[in-house]
């Protein structure tokens, strides 16, 4: 059993490294393509279409790299979690994404700050892209756990699909679907949660919408 577990861990690590390597190598030719399009394509509509396609490919590559490096070796450190989340809220507001924020329930915690920040931003991106109405960010410490909740008022997710959507390359074929995406956003958050001895919970938001809860065990 131990040998099997070690083999599975090695295969997962190898797959992540290959995925990260391919994604990294694709960025240079995409940059050249963008430059060539902006300099050589005379038709404005055609140029904008090409640039939009390249930006979409770059976004997909970024998601691949995020998935590959979710377990990149970042060590836990005592972090002002309230400040970390407040900073994310400020950056969201700077790009026109105002949030309802409640961080009174947390202070410092031993976490991997870059990974947790990436997970929270993924959940916020998901809420803005597929949700609707007011979007909120809340964090609280409960029973040796930290619970970070992002809630929206969008169409939500059917109960039967909530666990399935945590798997890599899985998308929901309804109003919350990103047909051009990778289906990795929630899988990245799930991996980061597991890295902290926690979990990702997708719940119905009372009154409508989705409540995504990132649970981190206090290390």
């Amino acid at each position: 059993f131990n040998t099997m577990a070690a083999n599975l861990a090695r295969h997962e690590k190898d797959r992540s490294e290959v995925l990260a390597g391919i994604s990294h190598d694709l960025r240079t030719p995409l940059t050249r393509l963008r430059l060539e399009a902006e300099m050589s394509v005379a038709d404005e509509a055609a140029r904008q279409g090409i640039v939009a396609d390249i930006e979409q490919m770059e976004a997909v590559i970024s998601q691949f790299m995020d998935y590959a490096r979710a377990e990149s070796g970042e060590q836990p450190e005592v972090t002002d979690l309230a400040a970390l989340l407040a900073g994310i809220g400020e950056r969201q507001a700077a790009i026109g994404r105002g949030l309802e924020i409640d961080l009174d329930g947390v202070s410092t915690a031993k976490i991997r700050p870059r990974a947790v920040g990436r997970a929270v931003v993924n959940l916020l991106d998901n809420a803005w892209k597929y949700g609707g109405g007011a979007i909120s960010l809340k964090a609280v410490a409960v029973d040796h756990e930290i619970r970070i909740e992002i809630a929206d008022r969008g169409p939500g997710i059917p109960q039967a699909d909530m666990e399935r959507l945590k798997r890599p390359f899985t998308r929901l074929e309804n109003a919350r679907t990103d047909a051009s995406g990778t289906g990795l956003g929630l899988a990245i958050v799930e991996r980061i949660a597991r890295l902290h001895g926690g979990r990702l919970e997708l719940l119905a938001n009372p009154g409508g919408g989705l409540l995504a809860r990132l649970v981190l065990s206090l290390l």
Side-chain angles (χ1 to χ4, degrees):
F1 180 83
N2 289 339
T3 300
M4 180 184 67
N7 287 339
L8 288 172
R10 187 180 68 254
H11 291 322
E12 178 70 13
K13 184 175 184 293
D14 290 346
R15 185 178 67 171
S16 294
E17 289 176 350
V18 169
L19 188 59
I22 292 172
S23 299
H24 180 271
D25 290 345
L26 285 173
R27 282 191 156 165
T28 299
L30 282 175
T31 301
R32 288 199 299 266
L33 283 172
R34 179 198 284 267
L35 182 61
E36 183 68 22
E38 292 176 345
M39 295 182 63
S40 303
V41 180
D43 183 83
E44 175 69 19
R47 182 169 64 251
Q48 291 300 322
I50 293 171
V51 170
D53 286 342
I54 292 172
E55 288 177 347
Q56 181 178 322
M57 286 186 282
E58 288 174 337
V60 169
I61 288 170
S62 293
Q63 284 246 295
F64 282 156
M65 293 190 74
D66 277 349
Y67 183 73
R69 69 180 179 225
E71 300 178 20
S72 59
E74 181 186 9
Q75 295 302 308
E77 59 185 77
V78 176
T79 303
D80 187 336
L81 182 58
L84 175 68
L85 297 177
I88 291 173
E90 290 171 1
R91 290 190 291 276
Q92 292 280 306
I95 58 174
R97 296 177 169 185
L99 299 171
E100 297 177 5
I101 298 180
D102 179 2
L103 305 176
D104 292 340
V106 293
S107 54
T108 59
K110 193 173 184 182
I111 60 171
R112 296 165 174 85
R114 290 194 301 277
V116 170
R118 190 156 60 242
V120 171
V121 170
N122 274 8
L123 292 176
L124 286 170
D125 286 346
N126 187 73
W128 283 109
K129 198 166 192 177
Y130 311 122
I135 293 175
S136 63
L137 170 61
K138 178 180 179 180
V140 64
V142 179
D143 297 332
H144 305 292
E145 293 179 341
I146 295 170
R147 298 178 182 177
I148 303 171
E149 298 180 348
I150 290 89
D152 67 58
R153 293 296 181 186
I157 294 174
Q159 183 69 39
D161 290 316
M162 287 183 175
E163 289 302 316
R164 180 179 67 85
L165 289 175
K166 298 177 189 178
R167 297 200 298 266
F169 309 107
T170 304
R171 294 193 297 261
L172 183 66
E173 301 302 326
N174 68 7
R176 290 190 78 104
T177 296
D178 175 15
S180 62
T182 61
L184 281 174
L186 294 178
I188 291 169
V189 178
E190 172 80 0
R191 290 186 73 177
I192 291 171
R194 291 202 312 268
L195 192 61
H196 289 80
R199 61 195 179 278
L200 171 63
E201 299 175 349
L202 301 178
L203 309 165
N205 191 16
L210 179 71
L211 189 151
R213 177 184 292 153
L214 173 61
V215 180
L216 311 174
S217 176
L218 289 174
L219 300 176

